[in-house]
Amino acid sequence: MITVFGEGRGFRVVWLLEEMGLPYRLRPVDLLAGVENDPDYLAVNPAGFIPAIQDGDATMVESIAIMEYLLARYGPTPLAPDPRDPAFPAYQQFLHLGEAGLAAPMYFVVVSRNLAPEAERRNWGAGKALEVFESRLGLVTRQLARSPYLAGEAFTAADISVTYALEFAQRTGCFTLGEAEKAYVARTTGRDAYRRAMDTCQATKAWAAEAAAR
Ligand SMILES: N[C@@H](CCC(=O)N[C@@H](CS)C(=O)NCC(=O)O)C(=O)O
């Protein structure tokens, strides 16, 4: 049985597990309560960030690396095109861009704008991180003008990666998506596996409801 530790970007992993029909359990990690108060989790990831997984003897962090592991270990699956498939380069690019180019820079915008002491909120680093997010988002928008999903006609794990980043930016109130991105998110989040993942991830579900009511 695969254990997923923590929501946040762990939502990507849970969504993928639901898409693949693999059994798992979610072990919540409450970062707001202070990870230093959760020694059992620190034994899994001494760096204290989420998500992590345990699968037998394998322990891993980094949501995109975890997705690549699950796809390779329990595939093949159409969620990850074969490297010889013409869809593969775009798939691989957007799988990583969802974290490296979108969610990671947006994280620093969010913590600056929403969590930093008042006097430190409008800092240069957060502004630069927002610029990075916006420029990478331009690549997503361009791709969506060509095809319904980021690797082409079919939904893949790259869409899980990027959808998480777009919802993160929107729910935190740090970015307003354009019409093309909104239509894309409606398409990807309309999937049954997304709904099941939301039912598992109760903290994410509550956060989404609270953001929608704002
Ligand atoms: N690149 C990592 C980012 C992980 C990350 O920053 N997670 C956030 C919550 S979603 C976290 O744990 N933040 C607290 C910290 O970094 O100490 C991934 O994709 O898993």
Side-chain angles (χ1 to χ4, degrees), residues 73-142:
R73 172 74 178 75
Y74 297 103
T77 155
L79 296 163
D82 184 271
R84 287 166 294 270
D85 187 320
F88 184 76
Y91 161 75
Q92 186 73 4
Q93 174 188 295
F94 285 107
L95 178 68
H96 285 271
L97 187 133
E99 178 59 25
L102 294 174
M106 184 49 70
Y107 181 76
F108 293 102
V109 177
V110 171
V111 294
S112 293
R113 302 265 159 98
N114 297 354
L115 300 178
E118 197 58 46
E120 293 178 50
R121 292 197 168 185
R122 299 269 146 205
N123 62 75
W124 192 88
K128 183 67 194 169
L130 184 58
E131 261 178 44
V132 168
F133 175 90
E134 286 177 322
S135 75
R136 276 52 164 183
L137 183 63
L139 298 178
V140 171
T141 310
R142 187 175 71 149

Side-chain angles (χ1 to χ4, degrees), residues 43-187:
V44 173
N45 179 13
F49 63 87
I50 57 170
I53 64 157
Q54 280 186 327
D55 182 20
D57 291 338
T59 299
M60 284 184 74
V61 296
E62 286 296 338
S63 61
I64 306 302
I66 293 169
M67 289 203 294
E68 288 188 305
Y69 162 76
L70 293 170
L71 292 159
R73 172 74 178 75
Y74 297 103
T77 155
L79 296 163
D82 184 271
R84 287 166 294 270
D85 187 320
F88 184 76
Y91 161 75
Q92 186 73 4
Q93 174 188 295
F94 285 107
L95 178 68
H96 285 271
L97 187 133
E99 178 59 25
L102 294 174
M106 184 49 70
Y107 181 76
F108 293 102
V109 177
V110 171
V111 294
S112 293
R113 302 265 159 98
N114 297 354
L115 300 178
E118 197 58 46
E120 293 178 50
R121 292 197 168 185
R122 299 269 146 205
N123 62 75
W124 192 88
K128 183 67 194 169
L130 184 58
E131 261 178 44
V132 168
F133 175 90
E134 286 177 322
S135 75
R136 276 52 164 183
L137 183 63
L139 298 178
V140 171
T141 310
R142 187 175 71 149
Q143 189 73 354
L144 292 177
R146 297 170 173 159
S147 58
Y149 297 105
L150 294 173
E153 295 306 308
F155 176 88
T156 67
D159 298 298
I160 294 179
S161 172
V162 170
T163 297
Y164 171 79
L166 301 187
E167 292 210 291
F168 178 59
Q170 182 151 271
R171 285 186 192 139
T172 51
C174 286
F175 195 80
T176 304
L177 299 178
E179 290 309 312
E181 295 85 30
K182 276 190 199 152
Y184 166 69
V185 168
R187 203 152 52 240

